[in-house]
Amino acid sequence: MTGVQTCALPISFHVDPGTPMSYSSSTTTQNNTSNVDVGTTNNEVIGIEIVTTGTVSPIDATSFTFNTTGTTDPTNDIANATLWSTGTNSTFATTTQVGSVVANPNGSFTINGTVTLSTGTNYFWLTYDVPATATV
């Protein structure tokens, strides 16, 4: 016998289209309550955790609003506010900046910047720069 014979077998499979991504919850944390020195930058103030479910059509975080309530003298004590993202990594880091630096925040302020969220918990970090002229 020469040649190759083939046999067609019926194949059945199911493709799961996935679930559209949706917002599940969010919270803030303040894990680092250590004192900071004057003349320092990127001091961790708060963490923001945004939790999503689903994998299809990821959603974006585009705007974060903060305030300086509880700060005794923000005009003198905060030179800059910066927002950072570490994706799904829960360890504080200043590697991926979100939006623009806010100079001399006082009262309510908003940082706009687009970050495509991953499924699960997404981590963001607000930092302050403390000028050398800040009141101890």
Side-chain angles (χ1 to χ4, degrees), residues 50-114:
I50 300 175
V51 181
T52 64
T53 58
T55 57
V56 178
S57 302
I59 57 178
D60 295 334
T62 58
S63 180
F64 294 79
T65 301
F66 303 98
N67 66 64
T68 58
T69 301
T71 306
T72 55
D73 189 4
T75 304
N76 186 59
D77 295 343
I78 306 170
N80 297 302
T82 309
L83 184 64
W84 306 91
S85 170
T86 56
T88 57
N89 182 344
S90 63
T91 303
F92 169 73
T94 57
T95 50
T96 304
Q97 184 175 327
V98 177
S100 299
V101 172
V102 175
N104 305 109
N106 186 5
S108 181
F109 63 97
T110 299
I111 297 177
N112 295 305
T114 301

Coordinates of all heavy atoms in Angstrom, one line a residue, residues 50-114:
I50 N -7.7 49.4 43.9 CA -8.9 49.3 43.1 C -9.0 47.8 42.6 O -8.1 47.3 42.0 CB -8.8 50.2 41.9 CG1 -8.7 51.6 42.3 CG2 -10.0 50.0 41.0 CD1 -8.5 52.6 41.2
V51 N -10.1 47.2 42.9 CA -10.3 45.8 42.6 C -11.3 45.6 41.5 O -12.4 46.3 41.5 CB -10.9 45.0 43.8 CG1 -11.0 43.5 43.5 CG2 -9.9 45.2 45.0
T52 N -10.9 44.8 40.5 CA -11.8 44.6 39.3 C -12.0 43.1 39.2 O -11.2 42.2 39.7 CB -11.2 45.1 38.0 OG1 -9.9 44.4 37.7 CG2 -10.9 46.6 38.1
T53 N -13.0 42.7 38.5 CA -13.3 41.3 38.1 C -13.5 41.3 36.6 O -13.8 42.3 36.0 CB -14.5 40.8 38.8 OG1 -15.7 41.6 38.5 CG2 -14.3 40.7 40.3
G54 N -13.4 40.1 36.0 CA -13.5 39.9 34.5 C -12.3 40.2 33.8 O -11.4 40.9 34.3
T55 N -12.2 39.7 32.6 CA -11.0 39.9 31.8 C -11.2 40.5 30.4 O -10.2 40.9 29.8 CB -10.4 38.5 31.6 OG1 -11.3 37.6 30.9 CG2 -9.9 37.8 32.9
V56 N -12.4 40.6 30.0 CA -12.6 41.1 28.6 C -12.9 42.6 28.7 O -13.6 43.1 29.6 CB -13.8 40.4 28.0 CG1 -14.1 41.0 26.6 CG2 -13.5 38.9 27.9
S57 N -12.4 43.4 27.8 CA -12.6 44.8 27.7 C -12.2 45.5 29.0 O -13.0 46.1 29.7 CB -14.1 45.2 27.4 OG -14.5 44.6 26.2
P58 N -10.8 45.5 29.3 CA -10.3 46.2 30.5 C -10.8 47.6 30.6 O -11.0 48.3 29.6 CB -8.8 46.1 30.3 CG -8.6 44.9 29.4 CD -9.8 44.9 28.5
I59 N -11.0 48.1 31.8 CA -11.4 49.4 32.1 C -10.2 50.3 32.5 O -9.2 49.8 33.0 CB -12.6 49.5 33.1 CG1 -12.2 48.8 34.4 CG2 -13.8 48.9 32.5 CD1 -13.3 48.9 35.5
D60 N -10.4 51.6 32.4 CA -9.3 52.5 32.8 C -9.7 53.3 34.0 O -10.8 53.7 34.2 CB -9.1 53.5 31.7 CG -8.6 52.9 30.4 OD1 -7.9 51.9 30.4 OD2 -8.8 53.5 29.3
A61 N -8.7 53.6 34.8 CA -8.8 54.6 35.9 C -8.3 55.9 35.3 O -7.2 55.9 34.7 CB -8.0 54.1 37.1
T62 N -9.0 56.9 35.4 CA -8.6 58.2 34.7 C -8.5 59.4 35.6 O -7.9 60.4 35.2 CB -9.6 58.5 33.6 OG1 -10.9 58.6 34.2 CG2 -9.6 57.4 32.5
S63 N -9.0 59.4 36.8 CA -9.0 60.5 37.7 C -9.0 60.2 39.1 O -9.8 59.3 39.6 CB -10.3 61.4 37.3 OG -10.3 62.5 38.1
F64 N -8.2 60.8 39.9 CA -8.1 60.6 41.3 C -8.2 61.9 42.1 O -7.4 62.8 41.8 CB -6.8 59.9 41.7 CG -6.6 58.5 41.1 CD1 -6.2 58.3 39.8 CD2 -6.8 57.4 41.9 CE1 -6.1 57.1 39.3 CE2 -6.6 56.1 41.4 CZ -6.3 56.0 40.1
T65 N -9.1 62.0 43.0 CA -9.3 63.3 43.7 C -8.9 63.1 45.2 O -9.3 62.1 45.8 CB -10.7 63.8 43.6 OG1 -11.1 64.0 42.3 CG2 -10.9 65.1 44.4
F66 N -8.1 64.0 45.7 CA -7.5 63.9 47.0 C -7.8 65.2 47.7 O -8.2 66.2 47.1 CB -6.0 63.7 47.0 CG -5.6 62.4 46.3 CD1 -5.2 62.5 45.0 CD2 -5.7 61.2 46.9 CE1 -4.8 61.4 44.3 CE2 -5.3 60.0 46.2 CZ -4.8 60.1 44.9
N67 N -7.5 65.3 49.0 CA -7.5 66.6 49.7 C -6.5 66.5 50.8 O -6.0 65.5 51.2 CB -8.9 66.9 50.3 CG -9.3 66.0 51.4 OD1 -8.7 65.9 52.4 ND2 -10.4 65.2 51.1
T68 N -6.1 67.7 51.3 CA -5.0 67.8 52.3 C -5.6 68.0 53.7 O -4.9 68.4 54.6 CB -4.1 69.1 51.9 OG1 -4.9 70.2 51.9 CG2 -3.4 68.9 50.6
T69 N -6.8 67.6 53.9 CA -7.5 67.7 55.2 C -6.6 66.9 56.2 O -6.2 65.8 55.9 CB -8.9 67.1 55.1 OG1 -9.7 67.9 54.2 CG2 -9.6 67.1 56.5
G70 N -6.4 67.5 57.3 CA -5.6 66.8 58.3 C -4.1 67.3 58.3 O -3.4 67.1 59.3
T71 N -3.8 68.0 57.3 CA -2.4 68.6 57.2 C -2.5 69.9 57.9 O -3.3 70.7 57.7 CB -2.0 68.7 55.8 OG1 -2.1 67.5 55.1 CG2 -0.5 69.2 55.7
T72 N -1.5 70.2 58.8 CA -1.6 71.4 59.6 C -1.3 72.7 58.8 O -1.9 73.7 59.0 CB -0.6 71.4 60.8 OG1 0.7 71.1 60.3 CG2 -1.1 70.3 61.8
D73 N -0.4 72.6 57.8 CA 0.0 73.7 57.0 C 0.4 73.3 55.6 O 1.6 73.3 55.3 CB 1.1 74.5 57.7 CG 1.4 75.8 57.1 OD1 0.7 76.2 56.1 OD2 2.4 76.5 57.5
P74 N -0.5 72.9 54.8 CA -0.1 72.3 53.5 C 0.6 73.3 52.6 O 1.5 72.9 51.8 CB -1.5 71.9 52.8 CG -2.5 72.6 53.6 CD -2.0 72.9 55.0
T75 N 0.3 74.6 52.7 CA 1.0 75.6 51.8 C 2.5 75.6 52.1 O 3.3 75.8 51.2 CB 0.4 77.0 52.1 OG1 -1.0 76.9 51.9 CG2 1.0 78.0 51.2
N76 N 2.8 75.4 53.4 CA 4.3 75.4 53.8 C 4.9 74.1 53.8 O 6.1 73.9 53.5 CB 4.4 76.1 55.2 CG 5.8 76.2 55.6 OD1 6.6 76.9 54.9 ND2 6.2 75.6 56.7
D77 N 4.1 73.0 54.0 CA 4.7 71.7 54.3 C 4.7 70.7 53.1 O 5.3 69.6 53.2 CB 4.0 71.0 55.4 CG 4.2 71.8 56.7 OD1 5.1 72.6 56.8 OD2 3.4 71.6 57.7
I78 N 3.9 71.0 52.0 CA 3.8 70.1 50.9 C 4.3 70.9 49.6 O 3.6 71.8 49.2 CB 2.4 69.5 50.7 CG1 1.9 68.9 51.9 CG2 2.4 68.5 49.5 CD1 0.4 68.5 51.9
A79 N 5.4 70.5 49.0 CA 5.9 71.1 47.8 C 5.2 70.5 46.6 O 4.8 71.2 45.7 CB 7.4 70.9 47.7
N80 N 5.0 69.2 46.5 CA 4.4 68.5 45.4 C 3.7 67.2 45.9 O 4.0 66.6 46.8 CB 5.5 68.0 44.4 CG 6.2 69.2 43.8 OD1 5.7 70.1 43.2 ND2 7.6 69.2 44.0
A81 N 2.6 66.9 45.1 CA 1.9 65.6 45.3 C 2.1 64.9 44.0 O 1.9 65.4 42.9 CB 0.5 65.9 45.6
T82 N 2.4 63.6 44.1 CA 2.6 62.7 42.9 C 1.8 61.4 43.1 O 1.8 60.9 44.2 CB 4.1 62.5 42.6 OG1 4.8 63.7 42.6 CG2 4.3 61.8 41.3
L83 N 1.2 60.9 42.0 CA 0.6 59.6 42.1 C 1.3 58.6 41.3 O 1.8 58.9 40.2 CB -0.9 59.7 41.5 CG -1.7 58.4 41.6 CD1 -2.0 58.1 43.1 CD2 -3.1 58.6 40.9
W84 N 1.5 57.4 41.9 CA 2.3 56.3 41.2 C 1.4 55.0 41.1 O 0.5 54.9 42.0 CB 3.5 56.0 42.1 CG 4.4 57.2 42.4 CD1 4.3 58.0 43.4 CD2 5.4 57.7 41.5 NE1 5.2 59.0 43.3 CE2 5.9 58.8 42.2 CE3 6.0 57.3 40.3 CZ2 7.0 59.6 41.6 CZ3 7.0 58.0 39.8 CH2 7.5 59.1 40.5
S85 N 1.7 54.2 40.2 CA 1.0 52.9 40.0 C 2.1 51.8 40.1 O 3.2 51.9 39.5 CB 0.3 52.8 38.7 OG -0.2 51.5 38.5
T86 N 1.7 50.7 40.8 CA 2.6 49.5 40.7 C 1.8 48.3 40.2 O 2.1 47.2 40.4 CB 3.1 49.2 42.1 OG1 2.0 49.0 43.1 CG2 4.1 50.2 42.7
G87 N 0.7 48.6 39.4 CA -0.1 47.5 38.8 C -0.6 46.6 39.9 O -1.3 47.1 40.8
T88 N -0.4 45.3 39.7 CA -0.9 44.4 40.7 C 0.1 44.0 41.8 O -0.1 43.1 42.6 CB -1.3 43.1 40.0 OG1 -0.2 42.5 39.3 CG2 -2.5 43.3 39.1
N89 N 1.2 44.8 41.8 CA 2.2 44.6 42.8 C 1.9 45.4 44.1 O 1.8 46.7 44.0 CB 3.6 45.0 42.3 CG 4.7 44.8 43.3 OD1 4.5 44.6 44.5 ND2 5.9 44.8 42.8
S90 N 1.7 44.8 45.2 CA 1.3 45.5 46.4 C 2.4 46.2 47.2 O 2.2 46.8 48.2 CB 0.6 44.6 47.4 OG 1.5 43.6 47.8
T91 N 3.6 46.3 46.6 CA 4.8 46.9 47.3 C 4.9 48.3 46.8 O 5.0 48.6 45.6 CB 6.1 46.1 47.0 OG1 5.9 44.8 47.4 CG2 7.3 46.7 47.7
F92 N 5.0 49.3 47.7 CA 5.2 50.7 47.4 C 6.4 50.9 46.5 O 7.5 50.4 46.8 CB 5.3 51.5 48.6 CG 5.7 53.0 48.4 CD1 4.9 53.9 47.8 CD2 7.0 53.4 48.7 CE1 5.3 55.2 47.5 CE2 7.4 54.7 48.4 CZ 6.5 55.6 47.9
A93 N 6.3 51.6 45.4 CA 7.4 52.0 44.5 C 7.0 53.2 43.7 O 5.9 53.5 43.5 CB 7.7 50.8 43.6
T94 N 8.1 53.9 43.3 CA 7.9 55.1 42.5 C 8.4 54.9 41.1 O 9.2 55.7 40.6 CB 8.5 56.3 43.2 OG1 9.9 56.0 43.3 CG2 7.9 56.7 44.5
T95 N 7.9 53.9 40.4 CA 8.4 53.6 39.1 C 7.5 54.0 37.9 O 8.0 54.4 36.9 CB 8.6 52.1 39.0 OG1 7.5 51.4 39.4 CG2 9.8 51.6 39.8
T96 N 6.2 54.0 38.1 CA 5.3 54.4 37.0 C 4.4 55.6 37.5 O 3.4 55.4 38.3 CB 4.4 53.2 36.6 OG1 5.2 52.1 36.2 CG2 3.5 53.6 35.4
Q97 N 4.7 56.8 37.1 CA 4.0 57.9 37.5 C 2.6 58.0 36.7 O 2.6 57.7 35.5 CB 4.8 59.2 37.2 CG 4.1 60.5 37.7 CD 4.9 61.7 37.5 OE1 6.1 61.7 37.6 NE2 4.3 62.8 37.2
V98 N 1.6 58.4 37.4 CA 0.3 58.6 36.8 C 0.0 60.1 36.8 O 0.0 60.8 37.8 CB -0.8 57.9 37.7 CG1 -2.2 58.1 37.1 CG2 -0.5 56.4 37.8
G99 N -0.3 60.6 35.6 CA -0.7 62.0 35.5 C 0.5 62.9 35.8 O 1.7 62.5 35.8
S100 N 0.2 64.2 36.1 CA 1.2 65.2 36.3 C 1.3 65.5 37.8 O 0.4 65.2 38.6 CB 0.8 66.5 35.6 OG 0.7 66.3 34.3
V101 N 2.5 65.9 38.2 CA 2.8 66.4 39.6 C 1.9 67.6 39.9 O 1.7 68.5 39.0 CB 4.3 66.7 39.7 CG1 4.5 67.4 41.1 CG2 5.1 65.5 39.5
V102 N 1.3 67.6 41.1 CA 0.5 68.8 41.5 C 1.4 69.6 42.5 O 1.8 69.1 43.5 CB -0.8 68.3 42.2 CG1 -1.5 69.5 42.8 CG2 -1.7 67.5 41.3
A103 N 1.7 70.8 42.0 CA 2.6 71.7 42.9 C 1.7 72.3 43.9 O 0.6 72.8 43.7 CB 3.2 72.7 42.0
N104 N 2.3 72.4 45.1 CA 1.7 73.1 46.3 C 0.2 72.7 46.5 O -0.6 73.7 46.5 CB 1.9 74.6 46.2 CG 3.3 74.9 46.0 OD1 3.7 75.3 45.0 ND2 4.1 74.7 47.1
P105 N -0.2 71.5 46.6 CA -1.6 71.1 46.8 C -2.1 71.7 48.1 O -1.4 71.7 49.1 CB -1.6 69.6 46.9 CG -0.3 69.2 47.3 CD 0.7 70.3 46.8
N106 N -3.3 72.3 48.1 CA -3.9 72.8 49.3 C -5.4 72.7 49.2 O -6.0 73.3 48.3 CB -3.5 74.3 49.5 CG -4.0 74.9 50.8 OD1 -4.6 74.2 51.6 ND2 -3.8 76.2 50.9
G107 N -6.0 71.8 50.0 CA -7.4 71.5 49.9 C -7.6 70.4 48.9 O -6.8 69.5 48.7
S108 N -8.7 70.4 48.1 CA -9.0 69.4 47.2 C -8.1 69.5 45.9 O -8.0 70.6 45.4 CB -10.5 69.4 46.8 OG -10.8 68.4 45.9
F109 N -7.6 68.4 45.4 CA -6.9 68.4 44.1 C -7.1 67.1 43.4 O -7.3 66.1 44.0 CB -5.4 68.7 44.4 CG -4.6 67.7 45.2 CD1 -3.9 66.7 44.5 CD2 -4.6 67.7 46.5 CE1 -3.2 65.7 45.2 CE2 -3.9 66.8 47.3 CZ -3.2 65.8 46.6
T110 N -7.0 67.2 42.1 CA -7.2 66.0 41.2 C -6.0 65.7 40.4 O -5.4 66.7 39.9 CB -8.5 66.3 40.3 OG1 -9.6 66.5 41.2 CG2 -8.7 65.1 39.4
I111 N -5.7 64.5 40.3 CA -4.7 64.0 39.4 C -5.3 63.2 38.3 O -6.0 62.2 38.6 CB -3.6 63.2 40.1 CG1 -2.9 64.0 41.2 CG2 -2.6 62.6 39.1 CD1 -1.9 63.3 42.0
N112 N -5.2 63.6 37.0 CA -5.8 63.0 35.9 C -4.7 62.2 35.2 O -3.6 62.8 34.9 CB -6.4 64.0 34.9 CG -7.6 64.7 35.6 OD1 -8.5 64.0 36.0 ND2 -7.5 66.0 35.6
G113 N -4.9 61.0 34.8 CA -4.0 60.2 34.0 C -4.6 58.8 33.8 O -5.3 58.3 34.7
T114 N -4.4 58.2 32.6 CA -5.1 57.0 32.3 C -4.2 55.8 32.6 O -3.1 55.7 32.1 CB -5.5 57.0 30.8 OG1 -6.4 58.1 30.6 CG2 -6.2 55.7 30.4

